[in-house]
Amino acid sequence: DAGVTQSPTHLIKTRGQQVTLRCSPKSGHDTVSWYQQALGQGPQFIFQYYEEEERQRGNFPDRFSGHQFPNYSSELNVNALLLGDSALYLCASSRAGYSNQPQHFGDGTRLSIL
Amino acid sequence: AQKVTQAQTEISVVEKEDVTLDCVYETRDTTYYLFWYKQPPSGELVFLIRRNSFDEQNEISGRYSWNFQKSTSSFNFTITASQVVDSAVYFCALSEGVRAAGNKLTFGGGTRVLVKP
């Protein structure tokens, strides 16, 4: 039973560039959430996708956008990269209608901005 | 707005000692869920335990136990007889209410646990 998979594992970009991160949810899960974790801090919620629509959004600018595909996989896009976007980006999956169940996380994509 | 505070930034113990991690939360919802996650150096967040707001019974699961007190908005977590493999960053997290698509998690700042042999 495959868990949450994310790609790539590491990425180096320069300021002003654009980046796309990818996530495949755990088998049986239909909801994907994205989190940003800066060094030494707890993860911060970016947004959540369900039924191919953004359902909830945290306090992030619209440079951060996403997409969910019919197979439930998801992409996180960040435009006009800033130095402050350097972080570990975590994808989590869950099953709709089961709010009391834990979200399952992938290993993350470590993004470095030069 | 929901908030989670982990006052301890780092705890260092010797193997076999017990470790207790503190977590205080804020929420206006009457239905909410509390979680503890472990993050080893590899980066993946590993789910450990969960508690619903309407169930204050404290439990033990193997070497893990937790103390949930709604009166003080605390959800403390204890590792009994710590082992070197327990070294990691531990996060307390809160999700509010009930949504069809599930809830976002609000995390505390984390507590780094170092278990020395």
Side-chain angles (χ1 to χ4, degrees):
Chain A
D1 181 18
V4 179
T5 58
Q6 292 186 242
S7 63
T9 54
H10 293 88
L11 207 50
I12 299 175
K13 292 286 188 179
T14 57
R15 281 178 297 175
Q17 284 189 313
Q18 177 264 342
V19 68
T20 297
L21 311 181
R22 296 177 176 81
C23 171
S24 292
K26 177 181 168 67
S27 178
H29 286 183
D30 53 13
T31 302
V32 173
S33 300
W34 287 92
Y35 294 82
Q36 180 196 65
Q37 186 178 17
L39 195 62
Q41 297 183 22
Q44 299 289 318
F45 175 75
I46 303 175
F47 44 53
Q48 178 191 74
Y49 277 84
Y50 170 62
E51 292 185 327
E52 302 180 46
E53 291 186 10
E54 183 182 293
R55 298 292 179 163
Q56 298 183 71
R57 189 179 182 91
N59 189 26
F60 280 81
D62 56 12
R63 296 188 298 110
F64 289 77
S65 63
H67 189 76
Q68 186 179 36
F69 299 93
N71 67 352
Y72 308 123
S73 66
S74 176
E75 288 182 350
L76 163 65
N77 301 292
V78 187
N79 294 323
L81 287 166
L82 304 174
L83 291 177
D85 295 332
S86 293
L88 178 68
Y89 288 84
L90 294 162
C91 170
S93 73
S94 56
R95 188 175 166 192
Y98 292 82
S99 298
N100 64 335
Q101 296 300 307
Q103 296 182 15
H104 292 253
F105 286 81
D107 288 342
T109 294
R110 192 164 297 279
L111 176 64
S112 299
I113 311 301
L114 303 180
Chain B
Q2 51 189 3
K3 182 180 179 181
V4 176
T5 302
Q6 294 179 251
Q8 306 150 306
T9 55
E10 185 166 326
I11 298 175
S12 182
V13 298
V14 176
E15 206 170 19
K16 297 185 183 177
E17 289 184 339
D18 295 349
V19 181
T20 295
L21 309 180
D22 298 334
C23 173
V24 174
Y25 62 91
E26 296 177 27
T27 177
R28 282 180 278 193
D29 270 21
T30 55
T31 299
Y32 52 90
Y33 307 95
L34 295 161
F35 303 85
W36 276 96
Y37 282 86
K38 173 183 178 180
Q39 188 175 44
S42 61
E44 178 186 1
L45 281 166
V46 179
F47 164 73
L48 298 176
I49 59 172
R50 174 192 68 231
R51 177 54 62 197
N52 306 324
S53 58
F54 43 86
D55 184 358
E56 286 193 71
Q57 182 178 356
N58 295 312
E59 295 185 20
I60 297 174
S61 176
R63 294 190 298 111
Y64 300 150
S65 63
W66 51 97
N67 186 344
F68 173 40
Q69 293 192 339
K70 288 179 75 171
S71 60
T72 56
S73 297
S74 66
F75 184 50
N76 298 335
F77 173 65
T78 298
I79 305 171
T80 301
S82 61
Q83 301 173 3
V84 173
V85 293
D86 295 326
S87 296
V89 181
Y90 290 80
F91 290 97
C92 179
L94 164 72
S95 71
E96 289 180 327
V98 178
R99 291 175 179 268
N103 302 329
K104 67 175 185 179
L105 289 171
T106 297
F107 286 86
T111 298
R112 182 177 299 279
V113 173
L114 178 61
V115 181
K116 301 176 183 177

